[in-house]
Amino acid sequence: MKDVWPWVRSSDHDISARAASKLGAVFHALIERGETRARAQRFALQCAVILFLEDCGVLTNAPFHELVESHARARRSADIIREFFHRLNEIQFPIGLLATIENVDLAERELSLLAEAATTKWSRIHPGIFGTLFQATMNATERHERGAHYTPEAAIYEHVVRPTLVAPWVTRIREASTRNELLAAHDALTNIRILDPACGSGNFLHVAYCALKRLEIELLTKLRARFPAAKPQGSAKSIRTQQLFGIDTDPFAVELAKVTLMLGKKRTLDEISEVFGLENLDDNIRCDDALFCVWPKADYIIGNPPFQSKNKMQREFGPDYVRRLRKRYADVPGRADYCVYWFRRAHDELAKGASAGLVGTNTIRQNYSREGGLDYIVKHGGTITEAVSTMVWPGEAIVHVSVVNWVKGIAHGPKKLSWQEGDGIDSPWKESQLDNIPSSLSTNVDVTQAKSLRANAEAGVCYQGQTHGHEGFLLSEAEARHMLSISTTNRDVLFPYLIGDDLLSNMHGQPSRWVIDFSPRQKLEAQQYTLPFQRIENLVLTDREAAASAEDTRNERLDEKGNKHHAYFLKRWWLLSYPRTELMTKLQTLSRYIACSRVTKRPIFEFVSSNIHPSDALSVFAFEDDYSFGILQSAMHWAWFTARCSTLTARFRYTSNTVFDSFPWPQAPTEKQCADVAEAGVALRTLRRKIAGEHLMSLREIYVFMEEGRGSIFSGACGGSHCSSPRSGRVWGEPQVPERIDPRPGLHLLKDAHAALDEAVRAAYGMAAQQDPLPYLLELNQDCANKEADGQTIVGPGLPPGISKNGFVTQDAVEPPML
């Protein structure tokens, strides 16, 4: 049995696309003249079913094609077409979709569009047509809120159906040698049950059905070749679509899934010359919320649950639903993504020995989402058999996902973990064979169990920058210059405002905007700055009043206390939403601070003048010494960062509670070792500034050039193949490196400068030159946590106790623009 998805012909896809487009046009025409969305959807899908059944010869003596075309040519009323649909009620179709015929009067334009759709060779359409049709009949907002996106069948097969369903059955069929073993295998195959609890248009179930038929063909071929007289028990029994089950919250999706399976069965049986018969799937595919309803028993659970993030669930589902969800699944962290609930429920529903394969956001392997889902699975008898750590999911929605296949029980043999490096569909793949795949879905040492260190968490040195909360607080350079020209006292409340993209993309990392920051002034004092205050009053106050009012309306529907964020913002409407008073007070005592883009692909840390206000797009470290910079810029910290952080697409997100609070600093460095780290950090920054000045390159351009022109600076720096993500595809919006760039003396030295810094940092830790930092840091984290638990003091972030900052603080930093 070939382990690839075989039944896809480009001509079928072309025909399917045309059919979907033409029938979608009928739907939109009905909507435009006032039909309800539900009636228009149902009518369009009923037309598709009739056209398909007639073109395939299943529905005879019912010339729907000719009827539609003749009425379109004559521009006559659609009454006869409506009567045709009603006559179908006399035929006992085991398809719920045709049980109730929509009484839709077609206008002349709609009749013409339907006639165009009828000319398509409907017997050649691919089952994916119905997924495409479903997409065409929903607007973009609905697709996003439902997490509904068409998914190519090859991806479904390769990453879910093959490892979860096909691989173990191929092994069983290959190992079966006796007549009784083969007959027993066939009996078991025709009795297995497969469930997709978020079935949408039914594509996952369709692929599973096709795979089952291929397995059956292989099994029967082997049986007949070795035992010609043998017949399967109950010779008429074969793979049926009634072995498949689905749940979805959308009624139209439920009907669509039934039709997808019907069409897929017809196409599959035609391929192998078997007789087609309709099956009633009304009891198999149900309209319900899978997170709250009873699930049918299944041997295999597959699917692609909705992709809402934790931050958008309340807005898209409503506070009532989120409150009910968290009450039902109280053990799942409230900051976990929505799909995590499906992973957890799927594992609970599996019987011992049963399997599952689900697609999730690529955050399921990180932090709270991992804790609520994959950690739960492996701690409750689950074994991950094959997984994709991260990949670009090749559907309509271009997103990065993780895919996990697991069995409830013990699985022997090697496990395959693969991942895609880059942001494009064609980005290269890597894979590794492991004895065990951890819940982090990483080939690196599993650092998910690292503990927060009190010395770090209580140091008060790692922050998120300021959140302005409204564009009215932000000024262009020209607007800031104008306010300062009116009154120089406005300089008290106007500050350069640095975002992550400025730091990485602008020359010398300078901010491109300014911010009005009245904090910590009360309203009366803020009013003294007339022009800035008037701007905030005119642009911000009304919007905050409206947001607070809408929040009150939402909260009135709740039985318990709801969010009061906007009420709080309104009460202090002249201030930034989150001015980070503690951070800004601390920065007033420093000449500079360390910052990195909070979401980043590359390890770029930089000193920034304390006269510049950091936005919430930056992670801020309240250090001004070069030793602390060297530790944070090192490959050791980067390895910990990427192993412990959350991700956004293929970029890493610095999270203080999971990354910084658990990161162990060197515990016994000498003053000489600290000085070596500081000196190496200064040398690296000096070289970066020299390259940037000579070649007019931003920090991002420098590092992109190093990756694309000379290989990743940090490839292998972590000691493992999966700790860094060298880029092979370009993210939209990233700088294009000119093809004509010369070798540029000095650029090649940057890699050496990073290596020198890493060598100095390793020495400060007492780490061997080639030692993998993650096992070392994890062991150090555990040792530090144990000491704190015993009441001992550990060395926290920054210069070690007893070492003065004198000689460790230089002056270079991103400086504010001059106005």
Side-chain angles (χ1 to χ4, degrees), residues 483-494:
M483 284 192 180
L484 292 175
S485 69
I486 298 299
S487 173
T488 57
T489 59
N490 286 335
R491 191 174 293 276
D492 296 343
V493 296
L494 297 187

Side-chain angles (χ1 to χ4, degrees), residues 327-344:
K327 183 177 180 180
R328 170 67 175 79
Y329 299 91
D331 292 338
V332 176
R335 296 167 73 177
D337 283 351
Y338 187 50
C339 68
V340 170
Y341 295 89
W342 303 78
F343 278 76
R344 191 183 187 97

